[in-house]
Amino acid sequence: MDPTKTKIPPMMDLTIDNITENTVLINSQSGDQRLTYVMERLVTHLHDFARETRLSTSEWMAALDFLVKVGQISSSVRHEFILLSDILGLSLLVDAIDHPKPPSSTEGSVLGPFHTHDPPTIGNGSSMASDPQGEPCLVICTIKDVQGNAIEDVKIDIWETDSTGHYDVQYENRQAPDGRCVMKSDKEGGFWFKAIVPVPYPIPHDGPVGDLLKLLHRHPWRPAHMHFMFEKSGWDNLITAVYIRNDPYESSDAVFGVKKSLVVDFTPADAETAKQYGVKEGTKVLKHDFVLVSAKDTEKLRDENALKALKELGLRVKLIDHLPVPDLD
Amino acid sequence: MDPTKTKIPPMMDLTIDNITENTVLINSQSGDQRLTYVMERLVTHLHDFARETRLSTSEWMAALDFLVKVGQISSSVRHEFILLSDILGLSLLVDAIDHPKPPSSTEGSVLGPFHTHDPPTIGNGSSMASDPQGEPCLVICTIKDVQGNAIEDVKIDIWETDSTGHYDVQYENRQAPDGRCVMKSDKEGGFWFKAIVPVPYPIPHDGPVGDLLKLLHRHPWRPAHMHFMFEKSGWDNLITAVYIRNDPYESSDAVFGVKKSLVVDFTPADAETAKQYGVKEGTKVLKHDFVLVSAKDTEKLRDENALKALKELGLRVKLIDHLPVPDLD
């Protein structure tokens, strides 16, 4: 609806049947078409949820108390609402909507709650992990575009747990970043570093999200993986991860992140590789090529996907700033 | 679906189109049919919301950060998620679903976030407010059933703001409850007390819910009202409020609580009333009769309404413990 023409009717005697329409109307006065649309869909789904479940007062109260707990356990190093979004499949869904990938590019995966902004920048050959209990590995990568051209100077965030399955930020006495780094791709689009072989680990389950998983008889485990995030102006931000083949949780990831194209092998270094990269023969080696998509191509694909999907849903919308708003014309 | 027969398929390569079905399946293993149903509707609506808005990563992140703030400003005396539920119309909706009222009974209204469990029990004629700036008033009530029979020994919670529009719990230096009390109805179903004439006030808008209202160009005001909650075994818990007629916010309550049947007049005491109740002539007097519904009748009406509404929605459900679950037979 056109907010400038929105007439807010006197609101009294609201009932199960007219509360939604009235709430939508009163939320439509800002003049921000996107906000109006998002709020309209939010309120409609929230109310439909209550109507379809005939939500009881005690269930409603339990849900609100649960949400307070999710907020209160969150901190600068723990975002329990991201975790909640992860286990409900919302994170993966939003990534799939916002970062569509053409067939020849690297697929995305979940960001998770453990990315930080303080890791050191390291050069090729350095190690990003200090855990002596971890099994050393060597990671050799390239970054290319869909035509196979090297992309240099990409900022790469890499993070993984230690050998016990904990990120540095999960330790109270964390002094400095560990198990994480930032790198830049070289002229050939390459970057390589030393790390430890990832291990499976449970997502933090000592909080409300863990309680919910238990209630649902779900395990909290993620298969062994290493996170990567790629950023360069002109290129679509790629948040992804690689997963070790044959992990026991490969097909039951608590946060739905695994894709076949992201499952990789760590293979023992032969003599030549060992010599070239200065590691012991037999060291586990991961070789992986990442493929980025230009921001322009992503935007085009995102718009096309949006218009197609919204048409199939029967919604009369148009895109403004690449995001849907109601089409009133 | 029957959880004992639920086969969780290997979950990999989840996409915009199959993530919902897979998330629903993995949430269906608890054996608790109600939990399975509620989670199924929750995940479906959450995902549909993201698909219909083509929610962007930055909008998703802003929403999760907002929810963290809502949790973190909450405390033992401030429940910002109740407030959020209130301004989105969810609280009123849940009350309407859970506490259906036959025509001759008192309608419900929103509980709000300011009820506490520590008020003193007072007898007829006592005052529940100490604010010398407030305009004194006298409140004379009865509690009856739908046939007009008095109901004695009902526990009544009553609460209101002071003359500045603040509840006692909104003061950091709160020493003891003020502007709130608990009473018991006498043999005639009566109870009467002294208070101050309620004033309109803004809901707390110094937090994230206030920020959202501002973004939506909505005012945070509630019309002047006094809260009442009635509890007695065998009777449906009644959460309601009375609203003073002709309040400037009467038809734009920020939390959608006003009902015509709950709008009341405060009229000056005549000489006889003043003498009888020990107040000055001209003191504002509210006379109001509340009508409770038996728990049994409410349960019956709730079940009937649920089955009718769910049938109209085309949902194949049955009631277990008076709450819908999928009907698989």
Side-chain angles (χ1 to χ4, degrees), chain B residues 4-309:
Chain B
T4 60
K5 291 179 192 153
T6 304
K7 281 186 195 157
I8 306 304
M11 290 192 312
M12 260 201 214
D13 287 330
L14 297 181
T15 66
I16 297 176
D17 298 317
N18 69 14
I19 179 85
T20 306
E21 153 193 3
N22 277 277
T23 308
V24 166
L25 271 177
I26 206 174
N27 285 342
S28 302
Q29 306 170 84
S30 71
D32 179 333
Q33 292 181 71
R34 175 65 179 165
L35 178 64
T36 298
Y37 180 61
V38 169
M39 290 304 294
E40 189 247 312
R41 298 319 307 151
L42 178 71
V43 166
T44 301
H45 281 296
L46 192 64
H47 289 194
D48 282 349
F49 166 70
R51 278 187 286 256
E52 290 168 10
T53 58
R54 308 298 290 183
L55 197 66
S56 74
T57 304
S58 58
E59 289 172 330
W60 166 82
M61 195 67 236
L64 297 184
D65 284 343
F66 172 81
L67 292 172
V68 167
K69 281 187 204 157
V70 174
Q72 296 198 330
I73 207 170
S74 296
S75 69
S76 61
V77 293
R78 177 172 185 164
H79 202 313
E80 191 89 352
F81 270 107
I82 292 185
L83 211 57
L84 181 59
S85 167
D86 290 351
I87 69 141
L88 294 179
L90 181 65
S91 307
L92 198 277
L93 175 59
V94 169
D95 184 69
I97 290 170
D98 209 28
H99 298 283
K101 303 294 178 195
S104 52
S105 62
T106 300
E107 293 191 270
S109 192
V110 287
L111 171 68
F114 293 118
H115 175 254
T116 72
H117 293 280
D118 65 354
T121 298
I122 65 170
N124 277 336
S126 294
S127 177
M128 53 86 91
S130 71
D131 182 0
Q133 306 301 315
E135 182 184 358
C137 71
L138 172 67
V139 184
I140 307 168
C141 306
T142 65
I143 312 177
K144 294 183 175 162
D145 66 17
V146 288
Q147 281 81 35
N149 304 306
I151 311 177
E152 71 169 304
D153 210 29
V154 177
K155 181 190 175 198
I156 310 132
D157 265 87
I158 308 157
W159 65 108
E160 66 168 347
T161 69
D162 64 15
S163 62
T164 73
H166 294 88
Y167 289 94
D168 55 351
V169 292
Q170 294 179 277
Y171 292 98
E172 270 185 40
N173 61 350
R174 180 189 195 252
Q175 304 282 330
D178 190 22
R180 59 180 78 236
C181 69
V182 167
M183 299 190 75
K184 290 267 179 179
S185 59
D186 60 27
K187 283 192 174 164
E188 286 74 42
F191 65 100
W192 65 278
F193 60 97
K194 292 167 189 160
I196 61 174
V197 177
V199 294
Y201 65 85
I203 60 169
H205 53 113
D206 58 336
V209 168
D211 294 342
L212 178 59
L213 286 175
K214 197 175 286 177
L215 203 64
L216 293 169
H217 292 217
R218 285 176 55 179
H219 73 67
W221 288 84
R222 297 214 64 203
H225 62 278
M226 189 179 282
H227 290 277
F228 291 85
M229 180 157 75
F230 301 87
E231 286 176 274
K232 183 178 177 176
S233 179
W235 299 89
D236 189 49
N237 197 353
L238 171 63
I239 296 165
T240 191
V242 294
Y243 297 85
I244 306 183
R245 196 178 310 283
N246 293 330
D247 187 283
Y249 305 106
E250 188 176 77
S251 64
S252 68
D253 183 1
V255 305
F256 311 105
V258 184
K259 292 175 178 162
K260 282 197 193 80
S261 69
L262 301 174
V263 175
V264 298
D265 294 294
F266 281 72
T267 48
D270 56 23
E272 191 187 353
T273 304
K275 196 177 164 198
Q276 185 181 349
Y277 291 95
V279 296
K280 279 187 199 160
E281 204 176 320
T283 300
K284 294 279 178 69
V285 179
L286 166 67
K287 287 196 175 184
H288 199 71
D289 301 318
F290 295 93
V291 179
L292 300 192
V293 186
S294 74
K296 211 172 146 187
D297 287 348
T298 301
E299 199 169 273
K300 192 161 166 275
L301 187 56
R302 190 192 296 125
D303 287 359
E304 285 168 7
N305 289 353
L307 289 171
K308 184 165 172 277

Side-chain angles (χ1 to χ4, degrees), chain A residues 43-64:
Chain A
V43 166
T44 301
H45 281 297
L46 192 65
H47 289 195
D48 282 348
F49 166 70
R51 276 187 287 256
E52 291 168 11
T53 58
R54 307 299 291 183
L55 197 66
S56 73
T57 304
S58 58
E59 290 173 328
W60 166 82
M61 196 65 238
L64 298 184

